[in-house]
């Protein structure tokens, strides 16, 4: 029986360059091993999950072309950030003053982001995703987690345009205004970034995959139906580990304004670490080599800023460089992952 190959990508704004760089290397490694220069990363995963920037990366890699193939490579996904990141996170001095750095209004206009998403996705719908997927968001009006899934999207009530899914999952509070999107059926939704509850969506991916019939979905009799952990290979990618210390003296009398940014940072990193802990424990209970099929690839930020919105050309280059350094640091694991992905194709 073949394993279900799962890719999960964390949220992290412009730091999506880090997993994008690593996935570009992984894709190239697969091309070399299969001697197929046209192989795309989407072909070698059976399920993808993403939050915020991770959701955008995943959707790009699952986008179909007009012939039913994969429209974009991992490099194409990375290029969205390298080529347009400075425009998406751009604000004039006048606007910065008017918005008071995010205190009076969101920091950035959503227009450039929406333009980039429209250029990449056009009219593609979630129901047309090349592989099963899950993208996280949060429903403000109904106060509940919202999961965009390709399995639910077979109904127009739960089907959405790719561009709207990407906009909703990346509507980070204080950075962009909430996303007001409509299902294909016409139901309105007001949604914000899934990072508020699941910055690391790997456990959401695990839970979703437990109910799916991959044998039928992928038309592959060697894939399992309703797989458990022993039937899954999970590759979970972070967007850069940085631990900014917060000291008692600085925060013992801190008010709302001072706590906003640290809370976002702590919430995101704390969630990612907790999910990693939970999955590592789940896999540690498995016998034989099954316990070795969970990978957490967390790149380190060495030269770049850890700010999610620092997208000047210098920092874009520094993030790309840190991504390449992470490839070197995880080279043996990535080679192992590539071989397992091919083996379970």
């Amino acid at each position: 029986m073949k394993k279900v190959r799962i890719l999960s990508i964390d949220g992290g704004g412009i730091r999506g360059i880090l997993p994008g760089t690593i996935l570009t290397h992984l894709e190239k490694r697969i091309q070399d091993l299969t001697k197929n220069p046209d192989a795309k990363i989407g072909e070698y995963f059976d399920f993808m999950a993403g939050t915020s920037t991770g959701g955008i990366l995943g959707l790009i890699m699952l986008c179909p072309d007009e012939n039913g193939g994969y429209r974009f490579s991992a490099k194409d996904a990375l290029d969205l950030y390298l080529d347009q990141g400075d425009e998406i996170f751009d604000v004039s001095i006048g606007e910065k003053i008017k918005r008071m750095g995010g205190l009076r209004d969101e920091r950035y206009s959503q227009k450039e982001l929406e333009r980039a998403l429209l250029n990449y996705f056009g009219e593609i719908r979630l129901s047309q995703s090349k592989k099963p997927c899950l993208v996280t968001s949060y429903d403000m009006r109904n106060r509940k987690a919202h999961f965009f899934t390709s399995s639910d999207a077979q109904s127009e009530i739960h089907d959405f345009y790719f561009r709207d899914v990407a906009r909703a999952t990346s509507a980070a509070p204080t950075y962009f205004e909430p996303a007001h999107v409509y299902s294909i059926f016409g139901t309105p939704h007001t949604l914000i970034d899934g990072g508020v509850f699941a910055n690391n969506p790997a456990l959401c991916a695990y839970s979703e995959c437990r109910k799916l019939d991959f044998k039928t979905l992928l038309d592959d009799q060697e894939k399992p139906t309703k797989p458990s952990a022993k039937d899954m290979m999970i590759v979970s990618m972070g967007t850069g580990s940085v631990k900014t210390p917060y000291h008692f003296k600085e925060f013992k009398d801190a008010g709302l304004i001072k706590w906003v940014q640290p809370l976002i940072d702590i919430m995101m990193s704390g969630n990612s670490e907790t999910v990693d802990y939970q999955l590592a424990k789940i896999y540690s209970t498995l016998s034989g080599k099954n316990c070795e099929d969970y990978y957490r690839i967390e790149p380190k930020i060495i030269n770049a800023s850890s700010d999610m919105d620092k997208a000047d050309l210098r920092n874009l280059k520094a993030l790309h460089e840190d991504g390449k350094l992470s490839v070197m640091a995880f080279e043996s694991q990535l080679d192992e992952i590539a071989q397992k992905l091919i083996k379970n194709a």
Side-chain angles (χ1 to χ4, degrees), residues 27 54 63 114 312:
E27 184 174 72
C63 192
E114 290 178 351
D312 58 88

mmCIF file of all heavy atoms in Angstrom, residues 27 54 63 114 312:
data_model
loop_
_atom_site.group_PDB
_atom_site.id
_atom_site.type_symbol
_atom_site.label_atom_id
_atom_site.label_comp_id
_atom_site.label_asym_id
_atom_site.label_seq_id
_atom_site.Cartn_x
_atom_site.Cartn_y
_atom_site.Cartn_z
ATOM 1 N N GLU A 27 11.516 20.256 -5.588
ATOM 2 C CA GLU A 27 11.015 19.991 -6.936
ATOM 3 C C GLU A 27 12.160 19.658 -7.894
ATOM 4 O O GLU A 27 12.077 18.708 -8.690
ATOM 5 C CB GLU A 27 10.236 21.203 -7.439
ATOM 6 C CG GLU A 27 9.583 21.026 -8.796
ATOM 7 C CD GLU A 27 8.724 22.221 -9.150
ATOM 8 O OE1 GLU A 27 9.296 23.302 -9.460
ATOM 9 O OE2 GLU A 27 7.496 22.110 -9.109
ATOM 10 N N GLY A 54 0.997 30.202 3.377
ATOM 11 C CA GLY A 54 1.087 28.791 3.030
ATOM 12 C C GLY A 54 -0.082 28.341 2.178
ATOM 13 O O GLY A 54 0.066 27.483 1.301
ATOM 14 N N CYS A 63 -3.004 24.554 -8.974
ATOM 15 C CA CYS A 63 -3.798 25.210 -10.012
ATOM 16 C C CYS A 63 -3.704 24.438 -11.334
ATOM 17 O O CYS A 63 -2.607 24.149 -11.809
ATOM 18 C CB CYS A 63 -3.308 26.638 -10.202
ATOM 19 S SG CYS A 63 -4.397 27.661 -11.195
ATOM 20 N N GLU A 114 -4.902 41.494 -4.304
ATOM 21 C CA GLU A 114 -6.008 40.961 -5.098
ATOM 22 C C GLU A 114 -5.669 40.934 -6.582
ATOM 23 O O GLU A 114 -6.054 40.008 -7.295
ATOM 24 C CB GLU A 114 -7.274 41.784 -4.839
ATOM 25 C CG GLU A 114 -7.833 41.567 -3.432
ATOM 26 C CD GLU A 114 -9.061 42.407 -3.149
ATOM 27 O OE1 GLU A 114 -9.392 43.287 -3.980
ATOM 28 O OE2 GLU A 114 -9.693 42.202 -2.095
ATOM 29 N N ASP A 312 10.928 45.101 1.350
ATOM 30 C CA ASP A 312 11.817 45.866 0.489
ATOM 31 C C ASP A 312 12.752 44.895 -0.230
ATOM 32 O O ASP A 312 12.939 43.750 0.204
ATOM 33 C CB ASP A 312 12.611 46.880 1.314
ATOM 34 C CG ASP A 312 13.432 46.219 2.416
ATOM 35 O OD1 ASP A 312 14.581 45.819 2.153
ATOM 36 O OD2 ASP A 312 12.897 46.071 3.533
#
